[in-house]
């Protein structure tokens, strides 16, 4: 931010007590007259000194549940005549002329229900605080503007920084609404996990969109620049049940779709339920969303980047578990070695592993190069393991791991033994031949001896020739590491003198 920062007020610094509290006679509200005009002239003088003829709106907001201003709230939040009733154009990053910027300063001085930061490329900024305090930041000292401000009867004071400077120090990583986000949303709609998109075009205000696979692109195209996006499950068609299960006390947000397809939300408490029920008569669908952050759990959230893909919006959403998973997944890459703890061994053969709070998975073929009957042959719940990341699926939020990728594949060493005769142990009889373990260990590598390679005579019943557990001389005919197959022959072993 610019390093010349001034607090501009109508309060004489000599009228302050030892604690810095103002003790003079000036009212903390706007006079809607000469003093207010002096503030605007002062801001204009600093803008001229900096060379700013336009400013960008940053982090706009309107009054929410309660209005804390000293002046009464106005219809349209004091922005009537500047923006349409739906506040189109009043969004983060929107550029306005200096004249419109000054009118925004006027609306904030009157504290009628709207607020924003006004900034220009890190060179100039205007912030309006409570009780008629204005903070101007510039990359120039603006001596002429300071003199003009004093001549107008206001008091400029040099500060180190504006107390209203943007400082978004919330934990976590802000998720951009990039192509990964839209692919995730499209997949969630297809799998019926999500269908409602809340568009936070201004802080404390939302537009709602009910999504289908066919309407998603059209909704995306008309979203407000830099909007905060929150994804929710679909509304319930059983509106009566939604109304009947509203909390016994405390505020709640009800979202409903009316007969025309328009989606609206309102915040009510138990004293307004009867009127609400009458208001939503005929609604197609509805949902009740709690207001406290602990209970209000969207599926995932994001913020729209600019058209060039850069995320310049500074505000953050209330992150969901999916957002935290996304932030973690962004740190992973294929081939990365991760450490985790086995949490679940599922009956269907998948092993789940906690890697830093995210649950990854190991399919049974990735547990070992050797044959296993069940994951518990290799791992146990609570065991700490290291594994290689095979893929990072940002859409389904899945990370498959491989334990065997960190193990030595025993098969390549047997390529060197093609043509050799070894003594193995018969492990299994199948209709087309016998499997023989050719490696001297319990989970050793196995190969197949086809019926035609067991005996010169046709074999009707394998058990007439060999039994499981019998030692058997076999010649290694072929080793295919790709298909994980070893071809053996007992006949050719006999021809080489094997017993």
């Amino acid at each position: 931010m610019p390093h010349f920062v001034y607090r501009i007020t109508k309060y004489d610094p000599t009228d302050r007590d030892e604690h810095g509290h103002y003790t003079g006679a000036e009212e903390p509200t706007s006079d809607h007259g000469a003093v207010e005009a002096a503030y605007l002239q002062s801001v204009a003088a600093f803008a001229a000194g900096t060379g700013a003829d336009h400013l960008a709106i940053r982090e706009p907001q309107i009054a929410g549940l309660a209005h804390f201003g000293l002046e009464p709230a106005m219809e349209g939040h004091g922005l009537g005549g500047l923006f349409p009733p739906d506040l189109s154009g009043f969004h983060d990053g929107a550029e306005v002329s200096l004249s419109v910027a000054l009118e925004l300063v006027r609306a904030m001085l009157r504290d009628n229900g709207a607020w924003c930061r006004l900034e220009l490329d890190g060179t100039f900024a205007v912030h309006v605080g409570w009780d008629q305090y204005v903070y101007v930041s510039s990359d120039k000292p603006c001596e002429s503007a300071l003199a003009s401000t004093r001549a107008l009867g206001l008091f400029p004071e040099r500060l180190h920084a504006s107390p209203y400077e943007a400082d978004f120090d919330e934990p976590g990583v802000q998720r951009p609404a990039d192509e990964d986000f839209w692919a995730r949303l499209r997949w969630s709609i297809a799998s019926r996990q999500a269908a409602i998109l809340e568009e936070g075009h201004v802080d404390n205000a939302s537009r709602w969109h009910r999504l289908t696979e066919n309407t998603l692109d059209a909704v995306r195209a008309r979203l407000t620049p830099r909007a905060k996006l929150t994804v929710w499950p679909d509304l319930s068609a059983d509106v009566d049940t939604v109304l009947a299960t509203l909390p016994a006390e405390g505020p709640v947000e009800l979202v409903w779709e009316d007969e025309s397809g328009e989606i609206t939300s309102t915040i009510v408490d138990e004293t307004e339920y009867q009127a609400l029920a009458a208001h939503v008569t005929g609604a197609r669908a509805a949902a009740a969303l709690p207001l406290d952050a602990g209970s209000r759990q969207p599926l995932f959230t994001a913020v729209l980047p600019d058209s060039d893909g850069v995320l310049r919006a500074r505000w953050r959403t209330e992150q969901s578990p999916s957002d935290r998973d996304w932030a973690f997944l962004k740190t992973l890459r294929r081939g990365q070695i991760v450490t985790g703890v086995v949490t679940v061994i599922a009956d269907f053969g998948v092993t789940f592993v906690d890697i830093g709070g995210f649950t990854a998975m190991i399919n049974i073929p990735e547990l070992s190069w050797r044959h296993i009957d069940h994951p518990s042959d290799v791992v146990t719940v609570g065991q700490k393991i290291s594994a290689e990341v095979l893929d990072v699926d940002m859409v389904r939020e899945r990370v498959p791991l491989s334990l065997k990728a960190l193990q030595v594949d025993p098969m390549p060493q047997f390529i060197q033994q093609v043509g050799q005769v070894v003594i193995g142990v018969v492990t299994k009889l199948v209709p087309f031949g016998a499997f023989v373990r050719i490696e001297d260990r319990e989970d050793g590598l196995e190969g197949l001896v086809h019926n035609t390679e067991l005996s010169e005579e046709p074999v009707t019943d394998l058990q007439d020739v060999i039994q499981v557990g019998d030692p058997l001389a076999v010649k290694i005919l072929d080793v295919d590491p790709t298909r994980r197959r070893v071809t053996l022959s007992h006949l050719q072993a006999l021809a080489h003198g094997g017993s």
Side-chain angles (χ1 to χ4, degrees):
M1 288 299 294
H3 59 276
F4 293 97
V5 182
Y6 302 97
R7 179 174 67 183
I8 301 170
T9 74
K10 59 185 177 181
Y11 308 116
D12 190 332
T14 61
D15 293 329
R16 295 184 184 276
D17 61 21
E18 66 274 15
H19 303 292
H21 300 148
Y22 180 67
T23 58
E26 291 287 348
E27 292 293 332
T29 56
S30 174
D31 67 345
H32 294 224
V35 176
E36 179 182 272
Y39 272 113
L40 301 183
Q41 291 175 56
S42 174
V43 172
F46 276 95
T50 307
D53 60 0
H54 68 281
L55 293 171
I57 295 171
R58 302 306 310 268
E59 293 82 45
Q61 58 182 262
I62 57 176
L65 288 175
H67 177 72
F68 297 103
L70 297 176
E71 298 191 37
M74 288 182 61
E75 184 177 354
H77 309 284
L79 302 179
L82 295 178
F83 302 98
D86 66 354
L87 299 183
S88 298
F90 186 59
H91 63 79
D92 189 78
E95 291 190 353
V96 296
S97 65
L98 181 59
S99 61
V100 172
L102 292 174
E103 289 305 312
L104 283 169
V105 172
R106 186 195 304 276
M108 288 186 278
L109 286 169
R110 296 184 180 186
D111 198 16
N112 291 138
W115 188 85
C116 67
R117 296 179 178 89
L118 294 164
E119 300 177 0
L120 176 62
D121 301 329
T123 62
F124 183 66
V126 181
H127 304 150
V128 179
W130 298 108
D131 300 350
Q132 302 278 287
Y133 285 87
V134 175
Y135 301 86
V136 177
S137 305
S138 174
D139 63 350
K140 298 179 177 62
C142 297
E143 297 293 346
S144 177
L146 285 169
S148 297
T149 298
R150 294 186 183 98
L152 288 165
L154 301 177
F155 301 93
E157 301 171 74
R158 180 79 182 269
L159 299 180
H160 175 70
S162 165
Y164 291 88
E165 187 173 314
D167 181 20
F168 292 86
D169 58 356
E170 296 94 335
V173 179
Q174 182 57 65
R175 185 175 189 170
D178 55 11
E179 292 308 317
D180 282 341
F181 169 85
W182 293 108
R184 166 74 172 161
L185 180 54
R186 190 177 299 278
W187 178 81
S188 298
I189 295 168
S191 58
R192 299 185 181 276
Q193 295 181 23
I196 299 298
L197 181 66
E198 180 183 1
E199 174 195 2
H201 59 299
V202 178
D203 217 13
N204 289 325
S206 296
R207 298 188 182 101
W208 298 83
H209 310 276
R210 200 172 189 186
L211 304 173
T212 67
E213 293 181 81
N214 295 328
T215 63
L216 177 59
D217 290 336
V219 169
R220 178 181 177 181
R222 63 175 185 266
L223 292 174
T224 306
R226 301 188 185 180
K228 293 181 287 186
L229 305 180
T230 307
V231 180
W232 299 94
D234 198 5
L235 303 179
S236 169
D238 191 349
V239 179
D240 289 340
T241 297
V242 172
L243 293 175
T245 54
L246 291 174
E249 59 181 8
V252 65
E253 183 172 19
L254 188 82
V255 184
W256 74 94
E257 183 181 41
D258 65 20
E259 294 171 298
S260 67
E262 182 177 353
I263 300 180
T264 308
S265 71
T266 188
I267 296 174
V268 295
D269 62 21
E270 65 278 7
T271 65
E272 302 165 291
Y273 287 171
Q274 186 173 354
L276 175 66
H279 187 64
V280 301
T281 299
R284 296 176 179 175
L289 305 178
L291 292 180
D292 63 287
S295 303
R296 189 179 175 90
Q297 290 292 329
L299 297 176
F300 48 100
T301 68
V303 176
L304 276 175
D306 289 350
S307 58
D308 60 2
V310 177
L311 182 56
R312 295 186 177 89
R314 296 179 299 216
W315 48 25
R316 296 175 179 268
T317 56
E318 294 179 4
Q319 293 189 333
S320 70
S322 176
D323 297 332
R324 289 187 285 274
D325 287 345
W326 167 86
F328 179 74
L329 294 182
K330 294 293 282 186
T331 69
L332 301 179
R333 65 185 186 280
R334 289 183 182 179
Q336 181 177 345
I337 307 303
V338 296
T339 300
V341 175
V342 176
T343 56
V344 176
I345 299 176
D347 290 338
F348 51 87
V350 175
T351 301
F352 295 97
V353 183
D354 184 320
I355 52 171
F358 179 85
T359 300
M361 58 192 292
I362 307 178
N363 289 314
I364 195 167
E366 294 298 329
L367 282 169
S368 177
W369 291 107
R370 305 175 187 281
H371 172 75
I372 61 173
D373 294 318
H374 191 270
S376 59
D377 295 340
V378 178
V379 294
T380 58
V381 172
Q383 180 182 351
K384 186 176 181 180
I385 63 170
S386 294
E388 181 178 303
V389 175
L390 295 179
D391 190 25
V392 182
D393 187 337
M394 300 297 294
V395 174
R396 293 171 175 81
E397 295 182 354
R398 293 178 182 172
V399 177
L401 304 177
S402 174
L403 195 62
K404 75 178 186 183
L406 304 185
Q407 303 166 356
V408 176
D409 183 357
M411 188 163 284
Q413 65 177 307
F414 283 91
I415 295 177
Q416 309 300 321
Q417 298 183 38
V418 171
Q420 295 184 16
V421 175
V422 298
I423 303 298
V425 177
V426 178
T427 59
K428 185 189 303 183
L429 302 180
V430 293
F432 47 84
F435 283 95
V436 177
R437 185 171 68 240
I438 58 174
E439 197 177 9
D440 188 19
R441 50 185 290 170
E442 188 173 343
D443 60 353
L445 199 66
E446 296 180 352
L448 174 68
V449 182
H450 194 271
N451 285 341
T452 58
E453 295 294 334
L454 274 171
S455 171
E456 293 181 349
E457 301 296 328
V459 177
T460 303
D461 187 348
L462 281 178
Q463 296 190 53
D464 293 339
V465 179
I466 54 174
Q467 301 287 330
V468 171
D470 287 350
L472 190 70
V474 292
K475 180 179 180 179
I476 301 174
L477 301 182
D478 183 56
V479 176
D480 186 341
T482 302
R483 300 172 69 189
R484 311 299 300 171
R485 291 182 179 177
V486 178
T487 305
L488 306 173
S489 172
H490 176 57
L491 284 177
Q492 295 190 39
L494 294 176
H496 277 72
S499 60

